[in-house]
């Protein structure tokens, strides 16, 4: 985004509302917490689900704490009282674990209905939430429903709080789905009374204290092994007349053999005189299943809804993150390819050297800390310049400092405080040259920067040129991070924008303009906080080319505190959103305006608005992955992303002639700086949606800029260009379609015959500003 968003004034021509938004942070916090809760619920229900088969080895021996009356008693246990119950003789209770399943449960219910048999289904809470209609069918057809924990967890190995959670949540979803509650519990991985261990007994006792009856088994059909239909029938057939509770499964895998075995088992046992009953009827429990209370039912419905919503959210996030990852990778490749093409393109000169003098406009409001360094650096240029300092009602003696220098070629214009756009327009009106350079009062130019930045005007279609703004105060982590952002983010993007002919911003710190182009668009507008982005977009929509000249280097102060950085970037982002909305009509236009709309605006929307809005989601999802998914995979993906960033950083630093030392702080930048920038975007979007307008605020100056060592001779004479029109009256349009684009859309200008070979512009190409010696490697 644009570098210059600073307002030197508290005054505006139009009323503004400076409404502090607090509700958006509350809303954001609520959204993040809701997302975190949804992912936590999804992670608990899906990724903590114990999918081991029921017969999996548990490594647990029988416990000495289990009472003998329990070990030798009936399969229905009241843990708190230490009592058991046994089914009546020649009574068999068919029980089905692990469901309901959308495939197998309906088939088993159909078999039971055809044979007029009622059974007991011990259901898993998460599966009831996923298939509430099947749970309702179980109850509606006269079967009993029981609990099999919420995530099929081994209750004996679980902590006390998790046991309570598993049982309570399962009871709630059953109440929400069916309208009933049940005290019947079948612990996962349980079998007969004799197999109870110490931990299992503790779980049974705790369940009893919470009002549940534990239902174990007397016959295991072994259907979970899928041994074959005959083997299942044989294992489920009683060997004597004692009452039995038979273990079967209606979920957990392919239950084709179970369904087929039931078709044989039930008629065979009926013919042998066996009676089929539910567990409650088999042991004569007085109405074990009761209607759920209103509170339990509504809580259960809410839990079912939350589980379904969390699953939907996770699916949506997965698609969004895959899409975001693919788009980010595509962007990295596109930026890399564009940078290489841009380097090759810039090896050719812009055209015949541009030697005409330049007017440099310096809008200033309370810039006493750095104005002298800025002005002297401009006078040290190796290109003829006049310097116009427009003091916008400063209260710190900025204008007095410049006037006291008595430097030839420097004019000071004082005006009442009216804002930066007004100061720039004053300077444009007072300028004597056709080529204008605009520079902030906290920026120092290299000696060849003015000459370099005006060379693209050799081509008639160029209306504005973006220079290369670099951070001067790179000390500390914050300075390094901003230095990395300027080199890797801003400058790589500008190369891409240049090739795509959709440059959205010429930064206020270092930008050059053709005066004719400024007059045609009405000068600098004050309707947005991003006056430089607004102006650049207006020029593009008027048909002018805006290009990037990386050799035109200027050094600027960056915020030295998180608070100052937040304020600066907040206004940059908000102003850019204003400019994007103002120029949204470019999306439907043709020519240069259409390139801005369908390339530049779409790029900004995708990568500087939408993707940052997903940042909290990405971070929350990363934590989710570390907790519930494969941590090594998540760390590997993050490492791959970081490696991509490092490679892009190395390439960008090489292109800019910078030492790669600061890139060591890139991992820390991803943990702190990235989140700060994303929060800025989020606040800006909320501010824009709320319709609030912000006031400009002056950024704090730190005095880190240095005065040039050897200023060059100032401009002796500058002849005023002939112009009949008054300032900001639109000039007549050029003749006979001068804006026709002779090249392919993304081809740069390599194939444009109008460029032809020209002698390179004289002077050094990689001059190091004397006051910055030693800064390059910081």
């Amino acid at each position: 985004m644009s570098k210059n968003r600073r307002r030197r004034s508290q005054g505006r021509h139009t009323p503004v509302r400076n409404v502090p938004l607090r509700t958006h942070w509350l809303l954001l916090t609520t959204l993040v917490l809701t997302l975190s809760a949804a992912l936590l619920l999804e992670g608990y229900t899906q990724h903590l689900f114990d999918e081991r088969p029921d017969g999996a080895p548990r490594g647990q021996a029988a416990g000495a704490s289990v009472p003998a009356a329990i070990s030798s008693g009936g399969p229905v246990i009241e843990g708190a009282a230490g009592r058991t119950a046994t089914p009546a003789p020649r009574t068999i209770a068919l029980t089905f674990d692990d469901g309901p399943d959308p495939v197998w449960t309906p088939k088993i219910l159909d078999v039971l209905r055809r044979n007029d048999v009622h059974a007991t289904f011990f259901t898993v809470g998460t599966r009831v939430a996923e298939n509430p209609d099947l749970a309702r069918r179980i109850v509606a057809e006269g079967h009993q429903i029981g609990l099999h924990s919420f995530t099929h967890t081994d209750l004996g190995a679980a902590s006390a709080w998790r046991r309570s959670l598993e049982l309570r949540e399962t009871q709630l979803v059953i109440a929400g789905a069916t309208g009933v509650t049940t005290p019947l519990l079948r612990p996962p991985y349980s079998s007969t009374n004799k197999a109870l261990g110490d931990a299992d007994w503790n779980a049974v006792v705790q369940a009893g204290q919470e009002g549940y009856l534990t239902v174990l088994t007397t016959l295991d059909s072994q259907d979970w092994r899928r041994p074959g239909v005959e083997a299942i029938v044989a294992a489920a057939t009683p060997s004597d007349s004692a009452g039995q509770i038979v273990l079967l499964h209606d979920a957990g895998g392919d239950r084709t053999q179970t369904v087929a075995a039931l078709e044989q088992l039930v008629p065979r046992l009926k013919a042998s005189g066996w009676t089929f009953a539910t567990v409650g009827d088999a042991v004569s429990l007085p109405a074990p299943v009761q209607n759920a209370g209103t509170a339990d039912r509504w809580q259960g419905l809410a839990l079912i809804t939350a589980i379904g919503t969390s699953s939907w959210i996770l699916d949506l996030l997965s698609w969004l993150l895959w899409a975001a990852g693919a788009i980010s990778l595509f962007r990295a490749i596109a930026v890399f390819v564009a940078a290489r093409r841009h380097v090759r393109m810039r090896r050719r000169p812009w055209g015949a050297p541009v030697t005409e003098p330049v007017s440099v406009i310096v809008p200033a409001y309370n810039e006493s800390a750095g104005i002298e360094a800025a002005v002297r650096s401009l006078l040290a240029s190796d290109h003829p310049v006049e310097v116009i300092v427009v003091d916008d009602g400063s209260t710190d003696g900025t204008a007095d400092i410049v006037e006291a220098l008595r430097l030839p070629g420097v004019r000071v214009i004082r005006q009442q405080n009216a804002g930066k756009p007004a100061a720039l327009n004053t300077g444009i009106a007072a300028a004597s040259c056709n080529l204008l350079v605009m520079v902030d009062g906290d920026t120092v130019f290299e000696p060849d920067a003015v000459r370099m930045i005006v060379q693209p005007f050799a081509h008639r279609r160029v209306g504005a040129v973006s220079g290369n703004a670099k951070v001067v105060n790179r000390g500390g982590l914050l300075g390094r991070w901003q230095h990395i952002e300027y080199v890797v983010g801003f400058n790589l993007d500008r190369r891409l924008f240049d090739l795509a002919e959709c440059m959205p911003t010429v930064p206020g710190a270092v930008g050059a303009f053709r005066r004719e182009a400024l007059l045609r668009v009405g000068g600098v507008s004050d309707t947005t906080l991003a006056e430089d982005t607004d102006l650049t977009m207006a020029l593009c929509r008027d048909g002018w080319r805006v290009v990037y000249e990386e050799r035109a280097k200027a050094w600027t102060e960056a915020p030295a505190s998180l608070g100052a950085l937040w304020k600066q970037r907040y206004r940059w982002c908000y102003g850019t959103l204003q400019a994007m909305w103002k120029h949204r009509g470019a999306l439907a236009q043709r020519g240069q305006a259409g390139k801005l709309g369908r390339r530049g605006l779409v790029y900004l929307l995708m990568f500087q608005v939408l993707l940052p809005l997903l940042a909290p989601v990405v971070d929350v999802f990363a934590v989710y992955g570390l907790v519930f998914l494969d941590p090594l995979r998540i760390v590997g993906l993050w490492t791959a992303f970081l490696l991509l960033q490092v490679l892009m950083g190395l390439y960008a630093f090489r292109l800019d002639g910078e030492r790669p030392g600061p890139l060591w702080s890139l991992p820390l930048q991803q943990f702190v700086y990235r989140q700060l920038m994303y929060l800025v975007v989020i606040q800006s979007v909320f501010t824009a949606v709320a319709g609030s307008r912000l006031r400009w605020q002056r950024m704090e100056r730190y005095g880190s800029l240095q005065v040039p060592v050897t200023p060059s001779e100032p401009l002796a004479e500058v002849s005023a260009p002939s112009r009949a029109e008054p300032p900001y009256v639109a000039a007549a349009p050029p003749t006979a379609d001068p804006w026709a684009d002779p090249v392919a859309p993304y081809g740069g200008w390599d194939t444009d015959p109008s460029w032809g070979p020209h002698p390179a512009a004289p002077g050094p190409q990689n001059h190091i500003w004397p006051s910055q010696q030693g800064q390059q490697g910081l």
Side-chain angles (χ1 to χ4, degrees):
M1 291 187 181
S2 167
K3 186 275 172 200
N4 183 56
R5 300 288 187 275
R6 306 181 193 110
R7 172 77 164 175
R8 283 18 178 215
S9 166
Q10 295 296 325
R12 299 274 301 181
H13 292 300
T14 57
V16 297
R17 290 182 295 129
N18 190 16
V19 181
L21 292 179
R22 297 291 181 263
T23 56
H24 71 282
W25 288 122
L26 177 61
L27 178 59
L28 175 62
T29 302
T30 302
L31 289 174
V32 171
L33 291 177
T34 302
L35 174 63
S36 301
L39 292 179
L40 180 63
L41 180 59
E42 179 71 9
Y44 184 84
T45 57
Q46 299 300 321
H47 299 289
L48 292 185
F49 194 97
D50 196 337
E51 295 181 339
R52 292 176 300 161
D54 283 354
R58 300 176 64 198
Q60 180 178 336
S65 64
V66 181
I70 299 298
S71 298
S72 60
V76 180
I77 305 172
E78 186 180 2
R83 297 181 298 179
T84 67
T86 303
R90 301 196 69 81
T91 300
I92 189 166
L94 298 178
T95 62
F96 297 88
D97 289 5
D98 296 349
D101 182 272
V103 175
W104 304 111
T105 301
K107 294 182 178 181
I108 290 174
L109 289 172
D110 291 342
V111 174
L112 297 176
R113 185 179 63 244
R114 287 195 298 269
N115 288 275
D116 193 23
V117 168
H118 291 153
T120 304
F121 289 79
F122 290 100
T123 55
V124 177
T126 56
R127 288 180 172 155
V128 172
E130 294 168 359
N131 306 284
D133 53 332
L134 288 178
R136 284 191 290 271
R137 180 181 172 185
I138 289 172
V139 174
E141 294 186 0
H143 305 286
Q144 278 187 347
I145 194 166
L147 285 67
H148 199 48
S149 82
F150 196 63
T151 59
H152 199 262
T153 190
D154 185 348
L155 296 179
S159 60
W161 70 265
R162 186 173 180 188
R163 293 171 186 165
S164 296
L165 177 66
E166 290 277 327
L167 301 183
R168 177 58 179 166
E169 300 307 294
T170 309
Q171 188 74 275
L172 284 178
V173 294
I174 290 176
T178 67
V180 301
T181 60
T182 176
L184 303 179
L185 165 67
R186 161 92 32 92
Y189 307 106
S190 63
S191 57
T192 64
N193 296 50
K194 292 181 179 180
L196 285 174
D198 290 336
D200 298 323
W201 175 241
N202 288 335
V204 170
V205 171
Q206 181 178 343
Q209 292 170 347
E210 296 180 11
Y212 296 97
L213 298 174
T214 300
V215 181
L216 302 181
T217 60
T218 58
L219 286 178
D220 185 353
S221 69
Q222 300 286 311
D223 65 336
W224 54 272
R225 296 184 185 272
R226 300 183 186 89
V229 174
E230 290 299 328
I232 294 173
V233 172
T237 300
S239 59
D240 53 32
S241 62
Q244 304 290 337
I245 295 180
V246 179
L247 172 62
L248 295 150
H249 295 82
D250 64 330
D254 187 345
R255 297 305 175 200
T256 303
Q257 294 180 9
T258 302
V259 175
L262 277 177
E263 295 278 13
Q264 299 180 25
L265 178 66
V266 173
R268 186 179 301 178
L269 290 178
K270 275 190 171 184
S272 301
W274 284 87
T275 300
F276 288 90
T278 62
V279 168
D281 291 340
V283 297
S284 300
L285 291 177
V289 176
Q290 300 289 331
N291 290 329
T294 302
D296 284 347
R297 186 163 189 177
W298 281 107
Q299 289 181 57
L301 289 172
L303 182 56
I304 292 173
T305 302
I307 292 173
T309 303
S310 65
S311 179
W312 178 83
I313 289 175
L314 184 64
D315 291 340
L316 176 63
L317 290 183
S318 298
W319 282 105
L320 288 176
L321 291 176
W322 277 111
I327 293 173
S328 298
L329 181 61
F330 172 78
R331 173 182 178 267
I333 295 173
V335 168
F336 176 77
V337 172
R340 288 181 60 85
R341 293 192 62 185
H342 193 268
V343 169
R344 291 196 299 269
M345 185 178 70
R346 288 297 173 259
R347 289 173 182 166
R348 303 180 63 184
W350 292 100
V354 176
T355 58
E356 63 180 281
V358 174
S359 294
V360 183
I361 302 169
V362 187
Y365 175 74
N366 289 348
E367 298 284 3
S368 59
I371 192 64
E372 179 179 357
V375 171
R376 288 190 180 276
S377 75
L378 295 170
L379 291 180
S381 299
D382 59 10
H383 192 91
V385 298
E386 68 165 352
V387 179
I388 302 172
V389 178
V390 182
D391 184 86
D392 189 43
S394 297
T395 58
D396 67 345
T398 297
D400 297 334
I401 292 174
V402 178
E403 289 177 340
L405 296 176
R406 300 184 181 276
L407 295 173
V410 177
R411 281 191 285 162
V412 177
I413 301 176
R414 298 174 183 258
Q415 68 177 32
Q416 290 185 347
N417 180 239
K420 184 180 180 183
L424 288 171
N425 287 332
T426 298
I428 294 169
S432 302
C433 303
N434 284 319
L435 300 182
L436 309 179
V437 171
M438 298 180 186
V439 55
D440 286 343
D442 64 338
T443 303
V444 166
F445 270 39
E446 293 196 359
D448 61 351
V450 173
R451 173 169 53 83
M452 289 298 181
I453 203 170
V454 299
Q455 294 310 308
F457 291 119
H459 196 283
R460 183 67 184 83
R461 294 179 58 233
V462 174
V465 183
S466 168
N468 187 348
K470 306 183 79 63
V471 175
V472 64
N473 51 330
R474 304 178 183 179
L477 280 177
L478 193 60
R480 288 187 177 92
W481 290 341
Q482 292 179 86
H483 170 44
I484 293 172
E485 183 183 27
Y486 272 61
V487 175
V488 180
F490 298 161
N491 288 347
L492 281 183
D493 276 349
R494 288 193 182 106
R495 296 176 190 272
L496 176 62
F497 290 140
D498 193 351
L499 281 177
E501 301 185 30
C502 60
M503 186 78 67
T505 302
V506 172
V510 51
F513 301 86
R514 198 184 293 273
R515 189 174 188 276
E516 173 192 359
L518 294 176
L519 297 179
R520 280 170 53 95
V521 299
V524 183
S525 171
D526 65 351
T527 59
T528 72
L529 298 188
E531 83 289 333
D532 47 4
T533 298
D534 187 5
L535 176 61
T536 307
M537 291 182 178
L539 293 173
C540 288
R541 296 187 68 185
D542 194 45
W544 295 97
R545 275 295 306 267
V546 180
V547 300
Y548 173 52
E549 176 50 80
E550 67 272 17
R551 295 174 299 177
K553 297 178 181 178
W555 300 82
T556 186
E557 280 189 328
S561 68
L562 287 176
L565 178 64
W566 178 276
K567 292 179 181 179
Q568 181 200 61
R569 299 308 173 86
Y570 185 17
R571 282 154 183 79
W572 285 15
C573 183
Y574 183 79
T576 299
L577 291 174
Q578 287 180 307
M580 290 171 64
W581 181 253
K582 177 180 178 180
H583 296 284
R584 63 191 184 278
L587 290 166
Q589 291 181 287
R590 296 183 178 181
Q592 195 65 45
K595 294 175 183 177
L596 169 70
R598 291 182 290 277
R599 299 176 189 174
L601 295 186
V602 171
Y603 185 94
L604 292 177
L605 179 65
M606 288 180 60
F607 295 106
Q608 297 192 18
V609 179
L610 296 182
L611 283 182
L613 289 177
L614 287 175
V617 175
V618 174
D619 294 336
V620 171
F621 195 85
V623 176
Y624 168 84
L626 291 173
V627 175
F628 295 110
L629 302 179
D630 183 0
L632 293 179
R633 181 183 177 188
I634 299 300
V635 172
L637 289 174
W638 185 85
T639 303
F641 172 78
L642 180 61
L643 180 60
L644 179 63
Q645 298 295 313
V646 170
L647 292 176
M648 289 183 62
L650 289 172
Y651 185 63
F653 270 58
R654 178 184 176 187
L655 292 181
D656 257 29
E658 296 280 357
R659 296 178 182 175
L663 291 175
W664 70 263
S665 64
L666 193 59
L668 294 176
Q669 186 192 47
Q670 299 301 308
F671 281 110
V672 180
Y673 191 83
R674 183 175 63 91
Q675 279 75 11
L676 179 66
M677 295 300 101
Y678 288 164
L679 289 176
V680 165
V681 175
I682 292 170
Q683 182 171 7
S684 301
V685 171
F686 271 105
T687 305
V689 171
S692 300
R693 295 187 61 188
L694 305 180
R695 295 181 183 273
W696 281 97
Q697 292 185 3
R698 178 183 176 274
M699 196 186 83
E700 182 181 357
R701 304 300 185 216
Y702 311 103
S704 55
L705 300 174
Q706 299 183 27
V707 178
V709 176
T710 309
S712 62
E713 290 297 322
L715 176 65
E717 292 185 7
V718 178
S719 57
S722 60
R723 55 181 185 268
E725 72 282 353
Y728 311 121
V729 176
T735 61
D737 193 22
W739 312 115
D741 190 355
V743 296
Y746 284 85
W749 293 339
D750 290 341
T751 59
D752 186 350
S754 66
W755 282 83
H758 294 284
Q765 302 299 308
N766 294 296
H767 179 78
I768 302 300
W769 185 232
S771 65
Q772 306 307 325
Q773 293 288 352
Q775 296 275 4
Q776 295 285 75
L778 294 180

